Amino acid sequence: MTTSKPIAPLDAVIVGAGFAGLYMLHRLRQQGFSARILEAGSGAGGTWFWNRYPGARCDIESMEYSYKFSAALAQEWDWSERYATQPELMRYLNHVIARFNLGEHMVYDTRVASAHFDETTGLWALTSTAGDTTIARHCIMATGCLSAANMPEFPGRESYTGATYHTGKWPHEGVDFTGKTVAIIGTGSSSVQSIPFIAQEAKHLYVLQRTASYSVPAHNTPLDAAMRDATKTNYDALRARGLAQPLAFDIHLNDKAASELTPEQIQAEMDRRWALGGLPIYGAFADLLTNAQTNQLAAEYVRGKIRTVVKDAAVAELLAPKGMLGCKRICVDTGYYETFNRENVTLIDVSQQGIEEITPTGLRAAGQTLTVDAIIYATGFDAMTGSLERIDIRGRGGKTLKEKWSAGPITYLGLMSAGFPNFFTISGPGSPSVLTNMVMSIEQHVDFIAECLAHLRAQDLQHIEPQPGAEQTWVGHVDAVASATLLYSCNSWYLGANVPGKPRVFMPYIGFPAYADQCREVVAQGYAGFHLSAA
Ligand code: FAD
Ligand code: NAP
């Protein structure tokens, strides 16, 4: 008779193989922990594995939107453009996997359906949709803030007989729109990046806009060796400047409020930012996101640019956003507004009636019936909580995370939630995450978790969990910081407003450096606000 040896639980199971999961795996392996990644996709890359729509690229400069944990990696990798394309980002992440020998600890095509904490063993059991179970002491969710696609339930959606795409689940083989009539729903960042490309191919493109976005030109450019070397020589200084700023990258923050400047200085500042391009526009004035008057000065500048570019005054007016600049994520584009001067592009305003119906041959919206060969949903994501709540996560007493978060996510530092011992979320709600250069906030979280696990091991401790009082205080603090800004004033996905029925709670924490300081303080005080135990 043979007896099979019980398989030892892993020290940690990581769900997701994007920027977060990969670095988490590397840190844990480096520290001698047993760890494995479970990934739903057939390959690694996360956001960059899934979002393969035409024109997909980062909106933070490549040399900042990349890992800093390994100086050697940063020195040896040569970014070819100021803003890397999706294929280049995939090459980079695959290089990271090979360079740090991560591949053998990753399991693909494995969607985690449930994660249950067993109070008798103190272990987590993760079960995939195929029924395979992985047991681990720590469960680390690297499932992404923008990975659960949002597909609005338009009446008749399933009746459509043409091709349907979501930008966040784009076919790997690409799509040829040549000669096709296409409708794209949504005008957020994904749409803003893809529209100029799709318009060049399609016979006709209908753009269905509910809310206009603010977009700033990328002024993308190839990077030559001299440009790269200039950054690499002073890489640490660039990183340090970035980490000291609220968005964790170098937005060249102006320390002056608009009220301290003359109209000429304000104009010059905006001209300079527009010429520089991209997200540094957030840094134009110290009070851009706290003073409505200042905000509208900058907003009106952008609206003026739109009116200059778009030839049809009525179309320009529709494209000119009405709300606060930066209240929704600012988009970064190459030729977005110019595309509306093309004869094969029609903008349709669905702000009043919404999209009435999807029909077998197209859709009805704003009183028009459109017959189209393809519908592209550029409708974004159930952000921050979606990828977590789509998993049946159960902590102590079988209580589900979804139940606990039914009125909005409750976390301590966006890292853990009481009742769910040894369960971590990388860039979880309540942390700076989506309001930053995410590679930096991911690294900060991974470092925190890796150091925490090392601390538990060194102290012979088994479990860590936040104290309920600490997380209530934290949730209140996250809300108070957001309330002091203009970011509550529009229907953004930061507030869950894009998903019907989602509680209206501001989910990310505003201010990377203050956040990182608080995490350091928590650790310095022996994990203040957490309960650490041996049993
Ligand atoms: P992700 O990259 O989203 O990876 C999460 C992984 O978890 C996915 O591969 C997913 O398949 C997997 N997963 C989820 N649920 C399960 C499950 N149940 N079982 C198994 N696997 C699961 N941020 C910036 O800072 N700058 C940018 O320029 C930028 N550009 C972006 C462009 C696009 C199109 C999008 C959508 C987002 C962008 N972001 C950007 C945000 C981006 O998501 C982060 O920068 C970063 O890539 C997130 O990495 P991650 O590892 O946390 O999550
Ligand atoms: P998004 O910003 O949420 O945009 C979704 C769009 O779909 C919005 O215009 C939204 O309108 C519209 N929409 C949603 N539901 C709708 C409905 N029922 N009817 C009509 N319109 C509807 O999503 P995204 O463009 O995919 O971007 C999400 C985030 O990913 C970005 O904010 C950014 O952080 C990141 N991203 C970055 C880049 C980059 O440049 N590197 C590119 C893509 C994505 P409303 O505004 O009215 O809700």
Side-chain angles (χ1 to χ4, degrees):
M1 196 177 93
T2 55
T3 51
S4 60
K5 213 170 132 203
I7 300 166
L10 293 164
D11 291 319
V13 59
I14 301 160
V15 186
F19 267 102
L22 296 180
Y23 179 43
M24 189 76 249
L25 178 64
H26 172 60
R27 274 299 307 256
L28 293 180
R29 300 286 313 161
Q30 223 183 12
Q31 293 179 188
F33 289 109
S34 58
R36 184 182 306 151
I37 288 181
L38 306 178
E39 165 58 53
S42 58
T47 285
W48 304 106
F49 175 86
W50 296 104
N51 291 263
R52 295 174 187 241
Y53 58 81
R57 57 173 78 238
C58 53
D59 61 3
I60 289 175
E61 296 192 29
S62 323
M63 297 206 63
E64 292 197 79
Y65 186 70
S66 43
Y67 291 121
K68 75 163 181 13
F69 72 81
S70 162
L73 168 68
Q75 289 296 328
E76 77 202 15
W77 184 263
D78 286 335
W79 292 107
S80 69
E81 292 180 72
R82 184 176 174 196
Y83 297 98
T85 59
Q86 176 272 334
E88 187 167 19
L89 283 154
M90 278 296 290
R91 283 198 293 280
Y92 171 74
L93 289 169
N94 282 321
H95 169 74
V96 169
I97 292 169
R99 192 188 191 287
F100 297 102
N101 297 315
L102 303 179
E104 63 183 292
H105 311 288
M106 293 162 59
V107 184
Y108 297 124
D109 297 309
T110 302
R111 180 165 290 281
V112 173
S114 67
H116 293 176
F117 181 66
D118 181 335
E119 286 180 76
T120 43
T121 60
L123 300 172
W124 282 90
L126 277 69
T127 305
S128 73
T129 48
D132 299 320
T133 298
T134 306
I135 309 286
R137 179 153 300 283
H138 298 275
C139 174
I140 303 173
M141 291 296 180
T143 47
C145 295
L146 295 162
S147 65
N150 172 41
M151 280 293 274
E153 299 281 345
F154 298 123
R157 199 182 75 193
E158 302 304 329
S159 72
Y160 182 58
T161 53
T164 299
Y165 306 100
H166 188 285
T167 49
K169 288 183 180 171
W170 202 258
H172 286 201
E173 63 280 13
V175 184
D176 183 2
F177 290 111
T178 308
K180 307 271 191 231
T181 300
V182 181
I184 185 164
I185 304 173
T187 49
S189 301
S190 301
S191 202
V192 161
Q193 284 190 328
S194 56
I195 280 174
F197 288 85
I198 297 167
Q200 281 171 35
E201 247 177 46
K203 185 165 124 204
H204 201 93
L205 178 64
Y206 293 101
V207 178
L208 290 97
Q209 172 183 277
R210 183 166 70 179
T211 314
S213 292
Y214 287 95
S215 190
V216 178
H219 300 314
N220 187 37
T221 171
L223 291 179
D224 61 26
M227 287 158 136
R228 282 193 295 265
D229 289 350
T231 299
K232 286 183 181 180
T233 312
N234 293 300
Y235 226 147
D236 288 348
L238 173 67
R239 297 296 199 180
R241 276 200 308 282
L243 293 177
Q245 299 195 21
L247 307 187
F249 71 102
D250 192 7
I251 54 167
H252 310 260
L253 189 61
N254 188 346
D255 58 2
K256 291 208 164 34
S259 57
E260 297 175 76
L261 304 171
T262 64
E264 294 74 25
Q265 286 171 322
I266 289 172
Q267 178 71 27
E269 183 68 15
M270 290 306 295
D271 286 344
R272 196 170 71 78
R273 301 264 164 187
W274 198 260
L276 178 63
L279 296 178
I281 198 163
Y282 276 110
F285 310 108
D287 58 347
L288 184 85
L289 294 178
T290 50
N291 182 319
Q293 219 179 334
T294 297
N295 189 284
Q296 283 309 300
L297 280 174
E300 190 48 32
Y301 181 94
V302 180
R303 289 192 282 263
K305 290 288 182 190
I306 298 168
R307 290 180 191 119
T308 314
V309 171
V310 180
K311 293 188 182 129
D312 182 319
V315 175
E317 233 24 68
L318 276 180
L319 286 169
K322 308 293 176 288
M324 296 290 169
L325 173 75
C327 181
K328 290 187 176 190
R329 169 88 169 200
I330 296 173
C331 305
V332 177
D333 74 279
T334 301
Y336 175 63
Y337 294 117
E338 290 82 349
T339 300
F340 291 90
N341 293 331
R342 294 176 67 104
E343 287 192 351
N344 70 333
V345 175
T346 306
L347 181 67
I348 297 180
D349 173 20
V350 297
S351 62
Q352 301 304 316
Q353 290 149 283
I355 288 163
E356 292 146 50
E357 189 190 8
I358 307 287
T359 67
T361 54
L363 44 84
R364 279 199 312 111
Q368 298 185 48
T369 300
L370 308 178
T371 300
V372 294
D373 301 309
I375 300 179
I376 302 169
Y377 289 79
T379 44
F381 302 90
D382 181 352
M384 305 208 69
T385 52
S387 62
L388 294 166
E389 292 187 351
R390 289 178 190 189
I391 304 172
D392 175 26
I393 298 166
R394 291 170 193 259
R396 286 185 198 286
K399 189 168 180 186
T400 68
L401 191 76
K402 196 170 173 175
E403 204 183 320
K404 180 176 175 188
W405 289 8
S406 58
I410 302 169
T411 72
Y412 182 40
L413 299 168
L415 275 160
M416 297 195 85
S417 194
F420 299 83
N422 292 359
F423 177 89
F424 296 89
T425 50
I426 302 179
S427 64
S431 75
S433 61
V434 292
L435 294 179
T436 64
N437 168 5
M438 284 203 72
V439 184
M440 291 306 101
S441 51
I442 283 169
E443 282 201 13
Q444 188 262 345
H445 262 194
V446 168
D447 290 342
F448 182 101
I449 296 167
E451 282 155 27
C452 174
L453 264 57
H455 174 80
L456 294 176
R457 179 172 61 186
Q459 302 297 315
D460 223 3
L461 297 167
Q462 299 290 330
H463 289 109
I464 179 165
E465 183 182 343
Q467 295 163 6
E471 69 179 6
Q472 285 305 336
T473 306
W474 183 253
V475 169
H477 175 60
V478 173
D479 179 65
V481 174
S483 299
T485 72
L486 302 170
L487 296 185
Y488 256 114
S489 67
C490 66
N491 291 326
S492 67
W493 57 256
Y494 301 141
L495 281 159
N498 61 329
V499 176
K502 196 164 170 174
R504 193 179 171 86
V505 173
F506 195 84
M507 293 180 284
Y509 181 76
I510 300 171
F512 180 81
Y515 174 82
D517 284 349
Q518 289 172 85
C519 286
R520 272 190 288 273
E521 191 55 30
V522 161
V523 174
Q525 291 181 11
Y527 290 90
F530 288 101
H531 178 65
L532 282 62
S533 63

